Amino acid sequence: MAKTREMRSMVSCLILLPLEHTKMYGQAPAASRSRGELSTMHAAGEYTGFVPDMQRRQLMNFVLVTTAGIPVLVALGCYLWYFVPPVSGGGGGAQLAGDVDGNPVALESWVKSHKDNDRELVQGLKGEPYYLISTPDNIKDFALLSVCTHLGCVVPWNKAANKFCCPCHGSQYDENGKVVRGPAPLSLALAHTTTLNGNLALSPWTEQDFRTGEDPWWK
């Protein structure tokens, strides 16, 4: 009888021991928790793994924004540049005009091979295509950049219409290169013509545009 009572007391101690542990520490031992309890703890935010500090998070955000922003800025810049009118080049002094092969063009040979009011392209400032306009015994004192101010097409001379007519979008310029029909917003750029040792040459036009009375947009 005494042995039975002793065994009952031992069993009671074994049962009460985990309960006392729980009261003392506020939670059951980790070994006694089920997988479901652990999953609940993780979902409840009790997981204390690696979390970046504020400085590191700011650096990560900066890298992310920079990486995403650079392509956007490049694309936007290209889009805006597409609508900027082409600008005439050239340095401060006169530059020899060149034929199709880049050779100098002699004034004497030009006058012999061209009639009054003929227009022909030469390589002008920075190698860009300029129209020279013939007179009975010389050329006019200005040349016209043949690049359309809309989207940069080369504008041919239409002798029958007495105009420069762009084949791309229908812009038109009068015989002096002044825009008379859109969508081109501006007149053709000008350059001065002169001679150097008997050869035709061009120099930048920096003064007022005689066709519009305004400062040159290509300056």
Side-chain angles (χ1 to χ4, degrees):
M1 193 69 172
K3 288 183 178 181
T4 303
R5 290 177 180 173
E6 185 179 350
M7 291 179 64
R8 288 179 179 175
S9 297
M10 292 176 63
V11 171
S12 298
C13 290
L14 291 173
I15 293 174
L16 292 174
L17 182 59
L19 296 176
E20 291 297 324
H21 186 279
T22 303
K23 291 178 181 179
M24 292 173 62
Y25 297 100
Q27 61 180 6
S32 65
R33 297 182 182 177
S34 64
R35 292 183 179 179
E37 290 175 328
L38 292 174
S39 299
T40 302
M41 288 174 59
H42 285 232
E46 294 187 26
Y47 175 69
T48 58
F50 172 74
V51 177
D53 56 25
M54 181 60 71
Q55 184 176 4
R56 192 169 298 180
R57 276 181 285 171
Q58 289 178 344
L59 178 60
M60 293 168 64
N61 290 338
F62 175 76
V63 172
L64 178 62
V65 172
T66 303
T67 304
I70 289 176
V72 174
L73 292 176
V74 171
L76 180 61
C78 293
Y79 177 79
L80 294 176
W81 182 255
Y82 186 73
F83 294 97
V84 176
V87 178
S88 172
Q95 180 178 334
L96 288 175
D99 61 16
V100 66
D101 297 318
N103 300 316
V105 180
L107 174 61
E108 185 178 355
S109 62
W110 177 277
V111 172
K112 289 181 179 179
S113 59
H114 292 82
K115 298 178 180 179
D116 183 31
N117 208 38
D118 279 351
R119 288 162 169 77
E120 188 175 332
L121 289 172
V122 296
Q123 295 183 34
L125 302 175
K126 283 192 173 181
E128 293 181 300
Y130 279 79
Y131 279 108
L132 298 182
I133 305 173
S134 296
T135 63
D137 56 357
N138 206 323
I139 60 172
K140 288 191 175 182
D141 61 357
F142 65 91
L144 300 173
L145 180 62
S146 65
V147 178
C148 181
T149 59
H150 178 218
L151 292 179
C153 301
V154 173
V155 182
W157 168 249
N158 188 323
K159 188 173 183 179
N162 201 40
K163 295 177 182 178
F164 294 97
C165 300
C166 182
C168 298
H169 300 95
S171 299
Q172 294 184 6
Y173 307 84
D174 69 12
E175 60 181 359
N176 293 324
K178 181 180 179 181
V179 63
V180 293
R181 175 179 171 181
L186 301 165
S187 300
L188 298 178
L190 294 169
H192 288 287
T193 60
T194 185
T195 57
L196 292 175
N197 300 320
N199 294 318
L200 297 175
L202 284 74
S203 61
W205 187 292
T206 58
E207 60 270 27
Q208 188 181 77
D209 186 340
F210 70 88
R211 302 163 302 183
T212 63
E214 299 175 354
D215 291 336
W217 61 263
W218 58 88
K219 188 174 178 180

